[in-house]
Amino acid sequence: MTPTDISNPDTFHKVVDCQWACPAHTPVPEYIRLIAAGRYSDAYMVNWHSNVFPGILGRTCDRPCEPACRRGRVEEEPVAICRLKRVAADNKEDIQARLPPIPAVRNGKRIACVGAGPASLTVARDLAPMGYEVHVFDGEKKGGGFIRSQIPRFRLPESVIDEEVGYITERGGVTTHFGQRVESLRALLDAGYDAVFIGSGAPRGRDLDVPGRKEAAANIHIGIDWLSSVSFGHIESIGKRVIVLGGGNTAMDCCRSARRLGGEQVTVVVRSGFEEMKASPWEKEDAMNEGIPILNYLVPKEVLHQGGKLTGMVFEKVKAERDAKGRRTLVPTGEPDVTIEADDVLVAIGQENAFPWIERDLGLEFDRWGLPALNEKTLQSSIPNVFFGGDAAFGPKNIIWAVAHGHEAAVSIDRYCRGLDVGERPPPEVVMSSQKMGIHEWSYDSGVSLDLRFKVPHAEHEVALRDIRTEVELGYDRELAYKEAQRCLNCDVQTVFTTSLCIECDACVDICPVDCITFTADGEEQELRERLRVPALNLDQPLYVQDGLKTGRVMVKDEDVCLHCGMCAERCPTGAWDMQKFFLETAKPYAGRVAACQAQ
Amino acid sequence: MSFLPKPKLHHPKLPVNALGFTRRDYEGAISTLCAGCGHDSISAAIIQACFELEIEPHRVAKLSGIGCSSKTPDYFLGASHGFNSVHGRMPSVLTGANLANRDLIYLGVSGDGDSASIGFGQFAHSIRRGVNMTYIVENNGVYGLTKGQFSATSDKGSKAKKGTVNTDEAIDLIGIALQLGATYVARSFSGDKAQLVPLIKGALRHPGPAFIDCISPCVAFNNHEGSTKSYDFVREHNEAMNFLDVFPGRSAITAEYAPGEVREVEQHDGSVLRLRKLHAEYDPTDRIGAMNHLHERKAAGEIVTGLLYIDPDPQDLHSNLNTVPTPLNRLDDSALVPGKAALEKLNAALR
Ligand SMILES: Cc1cc2nc3c(=O)[nH]c(=O)nc-3n(C[C@H](O)[C@H](O)[C@H](O)COP(=O)(O)OP(=O)(O)OC[C@H]3O[C@@H](n4cnc5c(N)ncnc54)[C@H](O)[C@@H]3O)c2cc1C
Ligand SMILES: Cc1ncc(C[n+]2csc(CCOP(=O)(O)OP(=O)(O)O)c2C)c(N)n1
Ligand code: SF4
Ligand code: SF4
Ligand code: SF4
Ligand SMILES: [Mg+2]
């Protein structure tokens, strides 16, 4: 097998499962250690540079990092990465002075951002410290996009949004044009901006098309429109019996909001199976804990109404089957239809993109799904100075993806404005530092906690359901946070092997608690994987291979379940193994982040 | 040594044996030996062998003397019986324990100082008496624990760390064991578990005195240029006679070999030792041949390893003494203290 090239940043980055899985590549273990050390402000800043909205994301992130977390492969559950982030935000001191300075002298370039969601705000934040003059437009009166208009207050208090949006819009360099919808891209381009970033989201909720829809329209609401009306206080009540259609997170927010606005019998109905629902498992759990049943395999057939008022809905019972081609389809079971009585129906069956304000004769290409034709890496459109990001780019995703797009688009815009090749991407900043302090002393806490995941305390149901502004999750206190932080395996503290020092004594092989290390004859990867002490069957996880040993064998380390405990390095007589911290920050236009993040 | 215990978490796919144990269940406390010590690899090999043989840990008694090597029983089989005796006295304590309870599996762990110097006599007599045991000498050519003085197995002409040349003739424990009637004799190297683990398995299943001389580099005091017990030297001069596979019974044998390439020896308990020959002419059931061969190859500068001698049908101390088949702790008082009349009868028989 080709020996592993550890000078390629991806090699060790992949070992940090959470960071690799995070679209914004947040240095997760670094901030978790800082939380354990009680350095909440430092932990917050590590987050802030990477994901821009630590307090918001610490409550709402889709957390792609957690299913990736190595801890979930060595015991039952991953580290509660997301909720630890919130601890940093809740316990930090005033960090204003640590934000990158906004230069008084501008660089003469003007950038327009359409929409004030997380994607646009990230672009603005990344460019303002470089002297760009950024103009952010949004039809709403405040910034935050869907974060403010959609996510219910019981999951995310408005004060957190105000604070973190403020770190971007209130420090100079960024001019907000709130309450001002952009009606024409042509007009915007004609206004002479050097570049335009479109972060207008996916603002259209899909509608239902069944008999009775029109007649009962007064009591049928499109989920996202209804949620924003609730967020902005235009709607304060709903009927006692509510049906919520759809199985995504929007449906979960609708049903839980309805419970708080007077809904007593709130029922979620999904077409397909409970397991196939798009909502995150924890959202489903929270909804069910609030007394909301989720009924599955029911397809809407008809809306019942009387005298222009909705009275209920009829559903057809279906089951999942594979068709001749092996595709999964829903077929009627033939059982009698199910009728559910209701006063209101919330339709949360999906979102679509819509760009009514973009003229189709501008030369901006769209694909057949109505999405802009983009370079996936640079996010540049067919008009060279127009860039997209967030839900507007590839359809509805989530906040952290919007942030990740924002960073990439900011890099692209910066390069475009400086006349550089946009396709050429600056490398990430990487720092490797040995953790060795003594023969068996490390500057990280190498002990492996055996604790299972700690539950985040919740408000009592009665209290929580009384007011839609009462935050349900109370967050970890410092003590719980410390214990949860200790569950982190420090996957960024890498095992680095130096072949020339190894005397092949087997000490590392014998001590490794999870049988990561094998010295064996070389071979092709697939065959080699089978021959290891414990076969390396998780193909998503790389092998670390080094050749050049005296016996002619190779050292193979399966990264899959390494606990990063440092035992191999402690038991190595020659220092052939070293534990080195790998710190990676993706490239961003403004400088000085790594120094600001590095511990000590 | 490490401050922290080895983390309890293990590989989720770690195999489980018929008893429901993983290999990790056969571990002991974390080692306090120098990092890289060959002895730790031998401990790992013992753990692996016991796991593979599906031995119930409480059926094993591990005994040792004094030395780094003799400390190791603390680092494996944490759930077994153990006795850490005085320097060089392990063989006597083991013999006594074996006489009292013949049902346990006896594993003696010793060092070259413990067995070839202060305990030389003890070693010799336990072998010649035919005690049913596995006797492993973790041979590093020095007194590791007392900071690296030459031991009696140190080769004449080899150099100490600071350059002193050893002028004394070395004791070859394998030669002595063969001469004194060990019925399972092997040499191996701590750095070659593929060879060592099966040799330990075969020894544990052998119903007589099984002796393993395992070369085990001392990284602190005997792993330098000029040493004949260093990792590099042993690797360069290692000449394996054969490669052993241990099968619990005939039906478990899987791979087939051409005749002439393998030699199979069935042991008393039905287990089969299959030797893949690396030297066609070497016959491991020929004791005199083995002794000659060893001397010859040693003169040529080779370190001969593998299963060097096996007597498939050995006698042991109990059969020689015609003792009761029941361990003493399971005999009742009337059997253990037969009374005055029985004593008088015995005395009369001896007059
Ligand atoms: C109910 C619901 C709950 C959600 N919960 C979560 C969650 O918990 N976690 C998570 O990660 N994600 C969640 N999401 C998804 C998340 O909100 C979005 O993926 C994310 O906000 C997208 O960010 P964005 O910057 O692309 O655009 P958006 O946040 O959608 O912001 C776009 C902004 O552009 C403005 N705009 C649009 N067109 C124009 C125009 N022509 N001129 C001026 N302004 C315009 C809009 O008013 C809007 O404010 C949720 C979505 C919904 C619907
Ligand atoms: C009666 C007695 N004499 C001397 C000693 C000192 N002593 C301790 S260990 C040792 C030598 C051990 O050498 P070896 O058996 O080869 O073990 P190693 O440390 O090399 O593994 C000696 C001489 C002692 N403990 N007891
Ligand atoms: S750090 Fe070393 S000893 Fe610990 S699990 Fe990883 S490879 Fe094994
Ligand atoms: S412990 Fe060190 S010297 Fe020994 S095999 Fe492992 S890497 Fe090599
Ligand atoms: S002194 Fe030698 S024998 Fe003793 S623990 Fe250290 S390396 Fe092993
Ligand atoms: Mg010794």
Side-chain angles (χ1 to χ4, degrees):
Chain A
M1 222 187 128
T2 322
T4 307
D5 174 14
I6 61 168
S7 65
N8 179 347
D10 281 357
T11 303
F12 284 142
H13 190 178
K14 276 186 199 153
V15 176
V16 197
D17 287 309
C18 46
Q19 186 174 8
W20 182 254
C22 173
H25 302 308
T26 306
V28 173
E30 176 77 358
Y31 82 68
I32 290 184
R33 273 191 303 275
L34 290 168
I35 290 170
R39 293 168 57 182
Y40 306 108
S41 302
D42 292 333
Y44 185 85
M45 291 315 294
V46 169
N47 271 289
W48 189 82
H49 285 288
S50 292
N51 57 49
V52 189
F53 304 103
I56 292 168
L57 287 164
R59 292 166 166 86
T60 61
C61 189
D62 260 357
R63 26 175 148 152
C65 52
E66 292 191 17
C69 170
R70 179 166 280 109
R71 182 98 196 177
R73 299 198 293 278
V74 295
E75 54 118 316
E76 289 160 32
E77 284 196 84
V79 176
I81 300 169
C82 178
R83 281 0 183 206
L84 284 171
K85 193 191 310 292
R86 168 173 173 182
V87 172
D90 286 357
N91 291 282
K92 67 179 184 306
E93 291 152 349
D94 186 352
I95 49 87
Q96 301 258 20
R98 300 178 62 168
L99 301 175
I102 306 295
V105 183
R106 316 307 305 162
N107 70 359
K109 306 279 183 190
R110 291 166 67 244
I111 313 296
C113 292
V114 183
S120 285
L121 290 175
T122 300
V123 170
R125 188 205 74 165
D126 284 2
L127 292 179
M130 298 295 289
Y132 286 92
E133 185 183 312
V134 188
H135 293 264
V136 180
F137 297 85
D138 201 302
E140 303 293 349
K141 293 203 171 53
K142 285 178 172 179
F146 268 20
I147 293 175
R148 196 183 290 274
S149 66
Q150 295 292 318
I151 300 181
R153 302 291 181 250
F154 60 83
R155 288 208 287 129
L156 176 63
E158 196 162 18
S159 58
V160 181
I161 309 174
D162 290 341
E163 175 191 335
E164 290 187 337
V165 170
Y167 291 152
I168 300 165
T169 56
E170 306 301 320
R171 300 179 58 247
V174 177
T175 310
T176 56
H177 305 267
F178 290 159
Q180 198 175 323
R181 246 188 91 79
V182 174
E183 300 296 352
S184 155
L185 179 57
R186 173 170 283 127
L188 202 61
L189 290 172
D190 288 348
Y193 290 100
D194 293 281
V196 173
F197 176 78
I198 298 177
S200 56
R204 189 179 287 165
R206 242 183 241 133
D207 200 355
L208 181 70
D209 185 19
V210 291
R213 165 70 180 93
K214 278 199 197 74
E215 292 81 346
N219 297 98
I220 298 181
H221 320 276
I222 300 297
I224 63 171
D225 299 339
W226 183 79
L227 281 172
S228 64
S229 302
V230 172
S231 284
F232 296 132
H234 306 317
I235 290 182
E236 283 173 340
S237 68
I238 194 163
K240 283 195 166 48
R241 300 167 307 170
V242 181
I243 296 173
V244 177
L245 301 176
N249 286 334
T250 305
M252 296 303 106
D253 282 341
C254 284
C255 67
R256 296 179 69 196
S257 296
R259 271 298 265 134
R260 287 160 170 80
L261 296 185
E264 284 168 10
Q265 278 174 44
V266 180
T267 311
V268 174
V269 182
V270 296
R271 299 167 61 93
S272 194
F274 182 82
E275 276 70 38
E276 283 84 42
M277 286 172 65
K278 282 210 184 114
S280 326
W282 56 89
E283 301 268 326
K284 296 200 274 190
E285 205 179 290
D286 285 344
M288 290 185 299
N289 281 342
E290 291 177 359
I292 301 167
I294 299 177
L295 309 181
N296 64 358
Y297 291 120
L298 293 175
V299 174
K301 204 170 171 184
E302 192 187 345
V303 176
L304 303 176
H305 51 91
Q306 228 166 28
K309 185 157 174 19
L310 184 137
T311 58
M313 275 189 76
V314 181
F315 298 90
E316 182 176 47
K317 277 194 148 187
V318 294
K319 61 183 175 193
E321 266 182 14
R322 304 246 162 229
D323 69 6
K325 284 189 183 148
R327 277 177 313 208
R328 200 169 167 282
T329 52
L330 296 174
V331 294
T333 63
E335 289 167 87
D337 289 341
V338 175
T339 301
I340 302 175
E341 292 179 0
D343 304 311
D344 283 288
V345 170
L346 297 172
V347 184
I349 55 175
Q351 258 169 273
E352 284 163 355
N353 289 77
F355 301 98
W357 54 280
I358 298 182
E359 295 82 355
R360 300 298 142 131
D361 60 356
L362 278 175
L364 196 103
E365 287 167 28
F366 285 88
D367 66 16
R368 58 198 165 101
W369 297 280
L371 290 169
L374 301 175
N375 177 317
E376 272 186 41
K377 263 209 190 111
T378 63
L379 300 164
Q380 195 172 31
S381 73
S382 53
I383 302 178
N385 67 338
V386 177
F387 301 83
F388 281 75
D391 288 357
F394 308 108
K397 283 190 174 161
N398 54 36
I399 302 170
I400 192 65
W401 268 112
V403 169
H405 289 162
H407 288 315
E408 289 307 320
V411 166
S412 297
I413 291 170
D414 182 45
R415 293 183 72 81
Y416 176 82
C417 290
R418 292 197 285 143
L420 300 171
D421 179 359
V422 173
E424 205 177 290
R425 309 305 286 178
E429 287 182 61
V430 176
V431 183
M432 293 286 286
S433 48
S434 176
Q435 301 293 289
K436 201 171 174 68
M437 304 222 301
I439 292 173
H440 35 243
E441 268 176 304
W442 305 102
S443 46
Y444 74 109
D445 197 344
S446 64
V448 177
S449 156
L450 293 179
D451 286 335
L452 298 178
R453 183 174 169 124
F454 292 90
K455 284 207 156 47
V456 177
H458 279 49
E460 295 287 333
H461 278 321
E462 285 153 48
V463 181
L465 293 180
R466 219 176 287 146
D467 182 352
I468 197 161
R469 281 172 298 268
T470 302
E471 195 174 9
V472 174
E473 285 195 17
L474 305 175
Y476 288 131
D477 60 24
R478 291 180 181 206
E479 196 184 324
L480 271 182
Y482 172 77
K483 288 199 210 156
E484 182 62 27
Q486 289 301 86
R487 295 181 68 241
C488 172
L489 297 172
N490 301 293
C491 297
D492 59 339
V493 180
Q494 306 283 348
T495 55
V496 182
F497 184 75
T498 308
T499 311
S500 59
L501 293 176
C502 175
I503 59 170
E504 297 176 71
C505 69
D506 265 6
C508 53
V509 177
D510 294 335
I511 197 68
C512 177
V514 281
D515 294 279
C516 293
I517 306 168
T518 308
F519 288 84
T520 186
D522 199 358
E524 284 308 312
E525 172 163 357
Q526 203 188 345
E527 174 264 340
L528 198 53
R529 279 178 174 270
E530 305 272 336
R531 271 199 283 125
L532 303 183
R533 275 170 73 81
V534 178
L537 304 178
N538 182 357
L539 301 182
D540 296 339
Q541 288 285 319
L543 298 182
Y544 177 11
V545 180
Q546 296 289 277
D547 62 0
L549 289 163
K550 268 197 187 154
T551 59
R553 299 180 297 175
V554 284
M555 186 292 297
V556 188
K557 184 193 166 207
D558 178 10
E559 297 285 6
D560 188 14
V561 292
C562 171
L563 304 174
H564 299 264
C565 63
M567 285 281 165
C568 48
E570 262 179 52
R571 299 303 299 168
C572 178
T574 63
W577 285 112
D578 189 23
M579 304 306 292
Q580 294 184 17
K581 188 172 85 179
F582 167 88
F583 183 86
L584 178 142
E585 253 275 321
T586 60
K588 298 185 182 74
Y590 66 99
R593 303 177 319 279
V594 175
C597 290
Q598 282 284 298
Q600 273 104 52
Chain B
M1 67 174 273
S2 301
F3 286 143
L4 296 171
K6 181 163 164 172
K8 287 270 184 299
L9 295 172
H10 63 70
H11 197 294
K13 297 220 171 63
L14 197 61
V16 171
N17 67 14
L19 301 173
F21 293 136
T22 68
R23 194 190 70 243
R24 299 244 5 233
D25 294 319
Y26 289 85
E27 289 179 348
I30 194 165
S31 171
T32 58
L33 301 183
C34 304
C37 177
H39 299 352
D40 282 336
S41 285
I42 302 175
S43 298
I46 292 171
I47 288 167
Q48 183 70 29
C50 291
F51 163 75
E52 288 178 15
L53 287 179
E54 295 164 353
I55 289 175
E56 296 169 295
H58 68 277
R59 303 302 308 148
V60 179
K62 37 177 194 169
L63 298 100
S64 63
I66 296 293
C68 297
S69 37
S70 292
K71 286 171 72 179
T72 62
D74 194 22
Y75 316 139
F76 57 80
L77 298 179
S80 296
H81 306 281
F83 195 104
N84 191 190
S85 75
V86 280
H87 202 15
R89 270 51 184 165
M90 175 276 282
S92 309
V93 180
L94 189 152
T95 305
N98 184 308
L99 277 171
N101 184 352
R102 59 189 294 173
D103 273 4
L104 297 181
I105 297 166
Y106 288 92
L107 173 59
V109 176
S110 181
D112 41 322
D114 200 54
S115 282
S117 296
I118 193 169
F120 195 38
Q122 302 252 326
F123 157 70
H125 290 290
S126 68
I127 298 283
R128 57 176 277 281
R129 284 185 179 129
V131 181
N132 179 5
M133 63 182 171
T134 296
Y135 192 132
I136 300 180
V137 169
E138 306 191 341
N139 187 352
N140 54 15
V142 287
Y143 298 167
L145 192 67
T146 53
K147 293 199 172 267
Q149 301 84 349
F150 285 126
S151 81
T153 65
S154 200
D155 289 309
K156 192 170 183 175
S158 70
K159 279 198 188 118
K161 201 174 178 180
K162 293 259 166 76
T164 321
V165 176
N166 180 27
T167 51
D168 299 345
E169 194 56 57
I171 293 174
D172 179 8
L173 292 171
I174 290 281
I176 307 286
L178 281 169
Q179 188 190 330
L180 296 180
T183 47
Y184 181 108
V185 179
R187 179 149 51 212
S188 190
F189 170 44
S190 67
D192 185 0
K193 285 206 198 70
Q195 183 192 51
L196 178 58
V197 173
L199 286 174
I200 297 174
K201 285 166 72 181
L204 290 168
R205 295 293 294 252
H206 183 73
F211 179 74
I212 300 176
D213 175 23
C214 190
I215 301 173
S216 173
C218 170
V219 279
F221 302 111
N222 206 8
N223 193 37
H224 46 266
E225 191 99 2
S227 158
T228 57
K229 300 269 192 295
S230 65
Y231 281 105
D232 286 351
F233 186 91
V234 180
R235 283 206 170 98
E236 270 161 40
H237 298 82
N238 190 342
E239 199 52 51
M241 292 296 108
N242 46 40
F243 192 85
L244 177 66
D245 290 310
V246 181
F247 300 97
R250 244 182 217 288
S251 54
I253 298 179
T254 43
E256 289 299 324
Y257 286 90
E261 280 181 10
V262 296
R263 165 108 193 217
E264 280 170 7
V265 180
E266 190 160 335
Q267 301 211 86
H268 208 69
D269 64 354
S271 62
V272 179
L273 307 182
R274 170 185 270 183
L275 288 157
R276 275 181 270 149
K277 292 188 180 178
L278 301 173
H279 286 248
E281 76 290 354
Y282 192 80
D283 175 5
T285 59
D286 173 4
R287 192 156 73 106
I288 311 291
M291 288 158 80
N292 285 337
H293 187 80
L294 273 168
H295 284 123
E296 227 176 82
R297 298 328 303 162
K298 190 177 178 209
E302 287 173 7
I303 303 172
V304 171
T305 59
L307 181 53
L308 304 175
Y309 176 66
I310 169 91
D311 174 354
D313 204 11
Q315 298 266 305
D316 90 319
L317 180 62
H318 284 281
S319 57
N320 293 343
L321 294 181
N322 194 21
T323 56
V324 281
T326 315
L328 301 190
N329 62 3
R330 277 196 268 134
L331 293 175
D332 58 16
D333 282 359
S334 64
L336 287 170
V337 193
K340 208 169 174 186
L343 179 63
E344 267 161 19
K345 201 176 153 199
L346 179 71
N347 281 337
L350 296 170
R351 276 194 191 104

